[in-house]
Every structure is written in C-alpha cells, then in structure tokens.
Amino acid sequence: MAKFRNTIPASEITPEALYINRRQFMKGGAALSAAALLAACGSPPPTVDEEGTAVPAPTSTPLPDTLTSEQEILNYVNFYEFTRDKEGVAELARDLITSPWEVAVGGLVRNPGVYDVDDLKRRFDQEERIYRLRCVEGWSMVIPWLGFPLHKLLAQVEPLPAARYVRFETLYDPAQMPGQRTDWYEWPYVEGLRLDEAMHELTILSTGLYDKDLSPQNGAPIRLVVPWKYGFKSIKSIVKIDLVEDQPESFWMRSSPREYGFYANVNPNVPHPRWSQATERRIGEVRRRRTFLFNGYDEVAPLYEGMDLTENF
Ligand code: MTE
C-alpha cells in the first residue's frame, strides 16, 4: 500500500522501520525575566550537549533519518502547562482527563461545530506520517505520528472568504495543569497559521504516535503537527480552532516578540537572537547534524515566494 508521499522513505529509516512496515494506514503579557526565558527556550551551545559533554563538530553531508525511540518521544517533552522540566512532564500529565474531549471550530466559517475527538477519529482515516520534528532549542526527533490532514476538518466548517488565518488554543485548566498556576506566561497557549499553511497537505491534526493514542505529555487527545516549522508551532491538547481575519498573536510572540515570530519556519540562515540554528542534535545521537531550510520539506517553499524570511521569521 502506498505510503504518504512526504513521509520519510522507509529505506531511510533504520531499525525501528521494521515496525513501520507492519502497517501503513489504520482506521480508526507577562514580561518574562531573562532567566525564565533561558529556562523556557534553552541555550544550545554548538559544542556541548545538555550534560555539558563535548560533542563532535557537525557533519557537512545529510545523515540518514532514524526513527526516534518511543521512550525518548514519551519522556523528553516540552509542555509548559505542566512544567518546564522536560523529564518531569510525563508524571505530572499522567492523569490529564483526555476523554471525552471536544474541539470547538468556529469564527469566520459557514458551519461552526463542536467535534468530539472520538468522532473525528472515526470520521477521518488515521494516516501514519513519519515527520522530522525540529525544536527551536536545537534538538530534533523523527516521529511516526497518526492523524489526519487539518484541511479535512476545515472543509467541514467551510471557511468564509474573509478568513485568512487559523488560531488554535490549548485547554486552560489550572486545576489539572500546574504550570498554568504560575504567572511566568500568559495562558492559554495559543498558536496560529496562515490559511494556506493550514490547508497544506503536510499539516496534520495528530491523535497518536507509534500506533497508539497520544499520551497526555505529547498533547493528548489531539494536537497540531506542522513539520517544516519549529516544534513550538505544533500546539498540544487543542480545545478551540477559530478562522480569523487578522494574524493571531501566539503564546511565544506574546512572551518574547523579539525572539519569536509568527512564521517560525525552520531556517538555518536565521539565528535565534541567543543561538545559531545552523545545526541540531538528533535525540539519541551524539554528532550534530546540519539543519535544512523548512526542515527539509522543500515542497512548502512556494508558500513563501517573494517573502523576506529574515524579516518574517
Ligand atoms: N503546546 C502546548 N500547549 N504547550 C507547550 O509547552 N510546547 C511546544 C509544542 N507544543 C508546547 C506545545 C514545543 S516547544 C515543542 S518542541 C513541541 O510541542 C514538542 O512536542 P513533543 O513534546 O510532543 O515532542
């Protein structure tokens, strides 16, 4: 059975690819202190890893993609609604109530609706998409997501001609999410895409990974995945999607507008104000790799024709 064309070819995926071959498709403003920001977004030096160990210089040729282990994906996560400690999220998020769960889709649409996630999973085929995920902090993974293209849901609600952007919002529930009881950030977490980015075939709503439902720490029960943008655009545990006329202000733009723009396309030529984006460390590997424009997903380039990507970072 044909695999989705933008999935990384199985031939380029090593050992865990055995798992992939078994299946193809399935049904189914608060101002932030410098210290806080540093903790929030990391400060990846090019020559040492998180433990301070020296790492070899990056290779200059593209390296093959290996599926990141399920254990790494489950335990090395960013979900600030719980904690900024990557390894502490899984435990704090364990009891998040993820069913039943509804997503309200509205704004500038002809048919606003409230969708139950179980119903969405029945309504749309759950496809497997193996995507690279590149975090703005300088680390990356390769993740076998399950989900469906966002454009299928948008087609149901029928955006009106005035709709130019899509705004996404995460659950706000400080009783369940201890990070939201702090005032480090202005909750809830918000993200946005231009409508044509949202309609792109690569953009998915994910409900699972490694053939299982998403775990709370990875954004259960439903999250966005936009593989050519830095990971922070891939907003977790979504409860609201609105079609809007004006460019939404995202959580990170609000926290630190100098450091985080609306587009956040992976771009090795535009450094973050505090660190280079030229290389990345694949979780599970030692040697750093080169980072590629649009995270290697060249087919999205036409979306940005004529735009200055340094200005629109
Ligand atoms: N979504 C919400 N609601 N809260 C977050 O803190 N972190 C983002 C993104 N989505 C985040 C979020 C960041 S910085 C990254 S790199 C990815 O989720 C990480 O996804 P993962 O932890 O499932 O690998």
Side-chain angles (χ1 to χ4, degrees), residues 4-8 65 129-134 141-143 145 200 202 225-229 266 282 292-304:
F4 180 71
R5 72 188 160 87
N6 295 101
T7 278
I8 300 167
D65 286 303
R129 301 281 184 103
I130 304 173
Y131 285 161
R132 290 178 286 272
L133 174 94
R134 168 62 155 83
M141 295 187 182
V142 179
I143 302 180
W145 300 105
H200 196 280
L202 284 180
V225 179
V226 193
W228 71 92
K229 292 178 179 281
V266 174
R282 188 61 58 81
F292 292 92
L293 181 63
F294 305 128
N295 207 16
Y297 296 96
D298 297 337
E299 60 269 53
V300 301
L303 292 173
Y304 309 104

Side-chain angles (χ1 to χ4, degrees), residues 73 76-81 133 135 139 141 143 145 170 189 217-218 223 231-232 234-236 252:
I73 298 169
Y76 191 83
V77 294
N78 277 332
F79 203 167
Y80 292 9
E81 282 83 343
L133 174 94
C135 180
W139 54 266
M141 295 187 182
I143 302 180
W145 300 105
T170 293
Y189 199 101
Q217 65 266 32
N218 292 114
R223 68 173 295 171
F232 65 82
S234 293
I235 179 173
K236 297 180 171 183
W252 287 109

